[in-house]
Amino acid sequence: MLPKLLNGRRILSHQQVKFYQTGTLTVGNRLLDAEQRTVQATIDRSNSLDSGHRACQGCGEALGARYAIDSAMRATNNKLIAANATGCLEVFTTPYPESSWTMPWIHSLFGNAAAIGTGIAAAMKVKGKEDVRVIAQGGDGGTTDIGFGCLSGMFERNDDVLYICYDNQGYMNTGVQRSSATPGGARTATTMPVGPEPGADFDKGKNVPLIAMAHDIPYVATASIDRLHDLEAKVTKAMSIRGARYIQIFVPCPLGWGSAPAQTVNLARLAVESGIWPLFEGENGEITSVTKIRKKVPVEEYLKPQRRFAHVVKNPETLNVVQEIADRNIRKFGLLEEQE
Amino acid sequence: MLKQIEGSHGVAEAVALCRPEVICAYPITPQTHIVEDLGVLVKSGKLTNCEYINVESEFAALSVGIGSSAAGARTYTATASQGILFMAEAVYNASGLGLPIVMTVGNRSIGAPINIWNDQTDSMSMRDAGWIQLFVEDNQQAVDIHIQAFKIAEKLSLPVMVCMDGFILTHAIEGIDVPEQKQVDKFLPPFVPRQVLDPEDPISIGAMVGPEAFTEVRYIAHQKQKEALKLIPQINEEFKKIFGRDSGGLISTSNTEGADTVIVTLGSVIGTIEEALDEQDEKIGALTIRSFRPFPLEEIRSALKNAKRVVVFEKCFAVGIGGIVANNVRMAMSGTNIPVYEVIGGLGGRPIIRKSLHKLFKDAVNDKLENVTFLDLKKDVVDRELEREKQLIQSGSVAENVLRDGGVVNAAKTT
Ligand SMILES: Cc1ncc(C[n+]2csc(CCOP(=O)(O)OP(=O)(O)O)c2C)c(N)n1
Ligand code: SF4
Ligand SMILES: [Mg+2]
């Protein structure tokens, strides 16, 4: 996709668009040329994850999956098969005889979505149907914890699968327990805010996008549901590449985080703008782009609307620890424009 | 064509003749040679149109297989021992989803203590997983049953586990008649899946089922196994017509007519037992169970109905109760007054020797067998260890103590 010019500025989905007139930080689809509009905005979107499912109100995972898969469908001319790990996405889009999936879809187990993807891709290859592409998807628990072995194996073999992790920072489907993607300080059912160090331990957990990059796979990206253009562009780009690809999408969970459903998109934006959730792309082991923060916000703004961090916000010391984590991200990924 | 080859190599050739489209490989003794040989067949171009995938675990091996089978590809993998436990969750999933994957199990014990030698505990650990389980007696049967397994699996849309004794069969070199490609093509039509992942006709596979339908779904799985009781002999007949060899169907018997005592076994040990039987004068019959799942209750019952006693010889047992096969046989014999004795032998590769078998046969015909006999159990070693445990809370590792007491080092000293 070639970058287009709007008001003399290049619009690359992963570049920021400064649009001063309205005082907003978003660019509405109607202001863009037709081919620059999001897949979600078109009437011919596939609706692969159709309405009528049972996700909670304001579920970021439902939104993220819908955005990601409709883009992948468009990029593959609707020739797409999905393998799904056990978790909220699997549960709220089923059970039999109902299904929200209007695409071929399989759920096998909690920890094997990546391997299922490998198998489907192998079958397509052997049958000479390589135009049919494969995505595997799961929550952070199914990806960074129990499915990690299969994921790493799929990466290492460079199997032709796009793996999408919907990161809501915990095991939500089983009632909000800690995963290795749960941030320090967060209250979960297994890291309760009791004792001298309330919530999840700091200095634990892992950064799977970076670990994915360490496999030197062709494409890795982080995305967030607050920026549709960027998310769709990343999925579209991923589908233009063969081999193992990984996208981890930040998807707030009102139920697990104790946030208002209407805050879902806003929280995703605050996570990016505070430096908590860096947006970047990596190709063949190198970081190739980062999304600069437009207007840095203190982490407190991000933490405050979430009850899981209530005890963190109250304690200046732990609040500072979280701020340091965000600042380290900003330094590490160069998230702020160089000050001149 | 008659070839002097290793059992594993024979199986690899048989599997290749079935034109598998996806093969998942992960090493574990004693199954490893099979997937290694298949790797050579694919890489050398002898087996074409096949994706050979080196996976990172057995859990992945079967999971990749679930994906490829659900996408319509004929799929094969092999494992043993710890490997089948590592893939356990996927084992149940493959049958639950009705995917006709064929998997060889090179039968081996399960640790701890870790032990790489043959018994049948590994396959038995998955006996209730909804797979068809066929145990083979020798390497010719291993070859023939693998070819039949694909047909059985695809007809029923169920996975089939072909169980062959590790080392005793996998590593044994003997003459095997390896079929011709033309024959196999005539016997085994291309795979037409019952349902398939296809963008042209999108379906959802593997969604949740609640209490309102789960019982019925499981009941149908059970019925399908019963269907297999008819299908397995039928396919054996079809096989016989094309290849001229009989693999025996559900069970095979020798000298059971008019025998007061019948030994019931599974797998290759029948070879040893028949040799020992030939060397003595008692009239003892033998019955080998080929299909352990589904379990041929009727066939076993009618083959044993005139016996005075049944002795089940098995290379596995359910800790805390006793023989696994024996309990199944007892179910077949329920309502009769024929006693079913259990003999557990060959665990972890312990050799099953003539002398012990002869004593066993003699005790059996004289009704001197206990309900459960552990063949060649070193009772003195066991008693001493139990005594040590009684004396000392921190008595250490049972495995180490037993080996220090009665293992090769000490045994050599005392003789
Ligand atoms: C082997 C296994 N262990 C545990 C579970 C229980 N389980 C099902 S979904 C789930 C949580 C899923 O968390 P995540 O992957 O983060 O997805 P989310 O529900 O948060 O979207 C767990 C623990 C399971 N189904 N299988
Ligand atoms: S618990 Fe969270 S992830 Fe699950 S459906 Fe509700 S909002 Fe979505
Ligand atoms: Mg989660």
Side-chain angles (χ1 to χ4, degrees), chain A residues 55-56 59 61 88 92 168 172 253-256:
Chain A
C56 309
C59 174
E61 187 161 295
C88 271
F92 73 62
N168 55 19
M172 298 320 180
C253 163
L255 184 122

mmCIF file of all heavy atoms in Angstrom, chain A residues 55-56 59 61 88 92 168 172 253-256, ligand 2:
data_model
loop_
_atom_site.group_PDB
_atom_site.id
_atom_site.type_symbol
_atom_site.label_atom_id
_atom_site.label_comp_id
_atom_site.label_asym_id
_atom_site.label_seq_id
_atom_site.Cartn_x
_atom_site.Cartn_y
_atom_site.Cartn_z
ATOM 1 N N ALA A 55 -19.753 -11.671 24.174
ATOM 2 C CA ALA A 55 -18.703 -10.968 24.913
ATOM 3 C C ALA A 55 -19.346 -9.929 25.828
ATOM 4 O O ALA A 55 -20.447 -9.459 25.577
ATOM 5 C CB ALA A 55 -17.754 -10.280 23.944
ATOM 6 N N CYS A 56 -18.595 -9.569 26.892
ATOM 7 C CA CYS A 56 -19.087 -8.521 27.779
ATOM 8 C C CYS A 56 -19.187 -7.218 26.998
ATOM 9 O O CYS A 56 -18.504 -7.014 26.001
ATOM 10 C CB CYS A 56 -18.116 -8.277 28.938
ATOM 11 S SG CYS A 56 -17.621 -9.728 29.848
ATOM 12 N N CYS A 59 -15.969 -5.215 25.404
ATOM 13 C CA CYS A 59 -14.852 -6.174 25.357
ATOM 14 C C CYS A 59 -13.835 -5.778 24.286
ATOM 15 O O CYS A 59 -14.153 -5.714 23.101
ATOM 16 C CB CYS A 59 -15.396 -7.568 25.064
ATOM 17 S SG CYS A 59 -14.092 -8.777 24.808
ATOM 18 N N GLU A 61 -11.250 -7.484 23.393
ATOM 19 C CA GLU A 61 -10.836 -8.656 22.624
ATOM 20 C C GLU A 61 -11.770 -8.862 21.425
ATOM 21 O O GLU A 61 -11.318 -9.176 20.320
ATOM 22 C CB GLU A 61 -10.857 -9.879 23.539
ATOM 23 C CG GLU A 61 -10.287 -11.134 22.907
ATOM 24 C CD GLU A 61 -9.898 -12.172 23.954
ATOM 25 O OE1 GLU A 61 -8.963 -11.881 24.734
ATOM 26 O OE2 GLU A 61 -10.503 -13.241 24.001
ATOM 27 N N CYS A 88 -11.618 -16.614 26.253
ATOM 28 C CA CYS A 88 -12.836 -15.811 26.067
ATOM 29 C C CYS A 88 -13.280 -15.779 24.615
ATOM 30 O O CYS A 88 -14.453 -15.994 24.320
ATOM 31 C CB CYS A 88 -12.601 -14.391 26.570
ATOM 32 S SG CYS A 88 -12.984 -14.211 28.326
ATOM 33 N N PHE A 92 -16.984 -16.923 23.881
ATOM 34 C CA PHE A 92 -18.101 -16.001 23.619
ATOM 35 C C PHE A 92 -18.572 -16.041 22.167
ATOM 36 O O PHE A 92 -19.625 -15.498 21.842
ATOM 37 C CB PHE A 92 -17.793 -14.580 24.126
ATOM 38 C CG PHE A 92 -16.789 -13.753 23.362
ATOM 39 C CD1 PHE A 92 -17.006 -13.389 22.040
ATOM 40 C CD2 PHE A 92 -15.644 -13.274 24.006
ATOM 41 C CE1 PHE A 92 -16.093 -12.590 21.354
ATOM 42 C CE2 PHE A 92 -14.724 -12.482 23.328
ATOM 43 C CZ PHE A 92 -14.956 -12.141 22.003
ATOM 44 N N ASN A 168 -5.133 -9.284 26.993
ATOM 45 C CA ASN A 168 -5.898 -8.549 28.006
ATOM 46 C C ASN A 168 -5.275 -8.743 29.386
ATOM 47 O O ASN A 168 -5.894 -8.504 30.403
ATOM 48 C CB ASN A 168 -7.386 -8.941 27.976
ATOM 49 C CG ASN A 168 -7.582 -10.438 28.121
ATOM 50 O OD1 ASN A 168 -6.676 -11.144 28.595
ATOM 51 N ND2 ASN A 168 -8.736 -10.942 27.737
ATOM 52 N N MET A 172 -8.747 -14.363 31.577
ATOM 53 C CA MET A 172 -10.057 -13.784 31.855
ATOM 54 C C MET A 172 -11.153 -14.843 31.861
ATOM 55 O O MET A 172 -12.045 -14.812 32.693
ATOM 56 C CB MET A 172 -10.362 -12.695 30.832
ATOM 57 C CG MET A 172 -9.363 -11.549 30.895
ATOM 58 S SD MET A 172 -8.920 -11.121 32.599
ATOM 59 C CE MET A 172 -7.766 -9.803 32.340
ATOM 60 N N CYS A 253 -9.986 -5.244 29.030
ATOM 61 C CA CYS A 253 -11.069 -6.150 29.429
ATOM 62 C C CYS A 253 -11.805 -5.512 30.604
ATOM 63 O O CYS A 253 -11.298 -5.532 31.731
ATOM 64 C CB CYS A 253 -10.457 -7.485 29.831
ATOM 65 S SG CYS A 253 -11.530 -8.545 30.795
ATOM 66 N N PRO A 254 -12.953 -4.920 30.349
ATOM 67 C CA PRO A 254 -13.671 -4.223 31.418
ATOM 68 C C PRO A 254 -13.920 -5.107 32.637
ATOM 69 O O PRO A 254 -13.761 -4.660 33.772
ATOM 70 C CB PRO A 254 -15.008 -3.832 30.764
ATOM 71 C CG PRO A 254 -14.772 -3.893 29.301
ATOM 72 C CD PRO A 254 -13.665 -4.866 29.061
ATOM 73 N N LEU A 255 -14.268 -6.373 32.387
ATOM 74 C CA LEU A 255 -14.586 -7.245 33.512
ATOM 75 C C LEU A 255 -13.353 -7.528 34.361
ATOM 76 O O LEU A 255 -13.379 -7.439 35.583
ATOM 77 C CB LEU A 255 -15.183 -8.563 32.997
ATOM 78 C CG LEU A 255 -15.623 -9.493 34.116
ATOM 79 C CD1 LEU A 255 -17.093 -9.821 33.990
ATOM 80 C CD2 LEU A 255 -14.795 -10.769 34.121
ATOM 81 N N GLY A 256 -12.265 -7.838 33.716
ATOM 82 C CA GLY A 256 -11.061 -8.215 34.446
ATOM 83 C C GLY A 256 -10.314 -7.017 35.022
ATOM 84 O O GLY A 256 -9.604 -7.141 36.018
HETATM 85 S S1 SF4 C 2 -14.064 -11.165 30.429
HETATM 86 FE FE1 SF4 C 2 -12.945 -9.569 29.337
HETATM 87 S S2 SF4 C 2 -12.080 -10.575 27.544
HETATM 88 FE FE2 SF4 C 2 -13.682 -11.900 28.346
HETATM 89 S S3 SF4 C 2 -15.511 -11.351 27.189
HETATM 90 FE FE3 SF4 C 2 -15.528 -10.123 29.075
HETATM 91 S S4 SF4 C 2 -14.501 -8.235 28.531
HETATM 92 FE FE4 SF4 C 2 -14.041 -9.700 26.919
#
